[in-house]
Amino acid sequence: MILPCVKETEKMDDIDAMFSDLLGEIDHLSQSLLPAEVDPDSQTDSSFSIGFTDLNESLNELEDHDLDALVADLGSKSTTSNGRLPADQQTSSCAAASAMAWEPEPGAAFPPPSNFAESSEGLCMSEPWTKAEKIKLALEKLKEAKVRKLIVKVLMSDGSSKTLMVDERQTVREVLDKLFEKTHCDCSIDWSLCETNPELQIERGFEDHEHLVERLSAWTRLSENKIYFVSRPQKYLMFTDPQVFYMWKKKKACLSGINEQAKQLLLKEHFGGSALIVPDLEGMLYLKEDGKKLWKPFYFMLRASGIYYAPKGKTKAISDLVCFVRFEKVNIHTTNNYKQKYRAPTNFCFMLKHPCIQKESHYVKFLCCDDEHTLLLWVNSIRIAKYGTVLYKNYQAAMKRASSSQPLHSVAHKDNSSQPDAAPPKTTNIEDYPHEPPPDFIPPPPLGLTHD
């Protein structure tokens, strides 16, 4: 485990003791992430499902054409010998991924490996398969597949759900495109895939460039986490309204008067050059003390390399600032009702944690903002610092996808506009910002942070 470089403010008296404590914490985290028994054979090439207790149930949830595609894809994979993942990909995923691998129940009935496959090919040529026969073949082929696949249940805002088969090569952007086809909704740039963690009461929107299977592999075997397909107007607000983040010190009345040309100049200045320019965000935030429901205010400053803070008794001068957290290995999550759960000063909180940490730990960092607008600034500015120009490329790809479906929606809008009772189109308003997600790591507690 590689910890980020944290600026030392004073000499440690007992390095051996600190290192022993760190090893103990790592061991504790490992035990909490892995189940009691793990089959070694399942740790390399395996398929598993999220949101289901049984793979048969998962396959039954798939639509017929998706099941046909799965069987065909698995059939082509099993006939090749080079389908195995590179060694670095197999070992780089979290240990929890193998813990979630699906394995058949003892005594489960499967078709004979070779004879069934041969006979099924003939069956395909002669007469249509029943869904039960397709599922039997899919179960057999899933055992042979070398590319990890998930059968995922995605929840909709109206309470319904869609079941998708996703493999490890697909990005969140590709999964969103598949959902657009299934739901026939507009292709707005606001649509997101979001994960929720009921135990920690947090949520996070997956970034479009992330690989969904890799992210879900961090979930524990009995996780109650869920995935939602929702519209989040704040997702790309840093590009539709860049003045909110790069001119945040000015009054809102002044920001609302920025025209489109000025916005494009801001984007070109901060994202179009050789280096990304991160918003120079700074201000007072409340920090939750480790293991306590006590929050203390500190002065924080955002930089491209991470978040810095001024310890008690120090000034806000650059030379006195200490690194609080770096973004390489942490994700940023928004929280739900922390005013009640942790006695936070407000409900506008966010959390920074490693993706493999699924339960409470003193490596998780909680910060609280005074208001909703400040939360919006910090969450999205941290996303900019963590992902940089990749985030801008995601936005451009989303705009391209939205524009490709624009003619159809334009016609629909024109027809609706002819009706006297047609509702005006909804606009993105900064004040309407609900909750937002984004970035990634977790260092040991900064020195002096928990002392009065």
Side-chain angles (χ1 to χ4, degrees), residues 231-246:
S231 178
R232 304 169 68 86
Q234 73 279 10
K235 180 178 180 180
Y236 288 127
L237 193 62
M238 69 285 288
F239 304 120
T240 58
D241 292 305
Q243 74 278 6
V244 173
F245 303 92
Y246 289 97

Side-chain angles (χ1 to χ4, degrees), residues 22-43:
L22 181 58
L23 289 178
E25 178 64 21
I26 293 174
D27 181 65
H28 175 72
L29 288 175
S30 300
Q31 294 300 322
S32 66
L33 290 173
L34 290 174
E37 296 180 5
V38 179
D39 186 351
D41 295 335
S42 68
Q43 294 188 9

Side-chain angles (χ1 to χ4, degrees), residues 136-149:
K136 283 179 117 179
L137 180 59
L139 287 170
E140 180 62 33
K141 294 299 183 183
L142 278 170
K143 294 175 66 178
E144 304 172 4
K146 304 304 181 184
V147 176
R148 288 188 302 163
K149 296 178 183 291

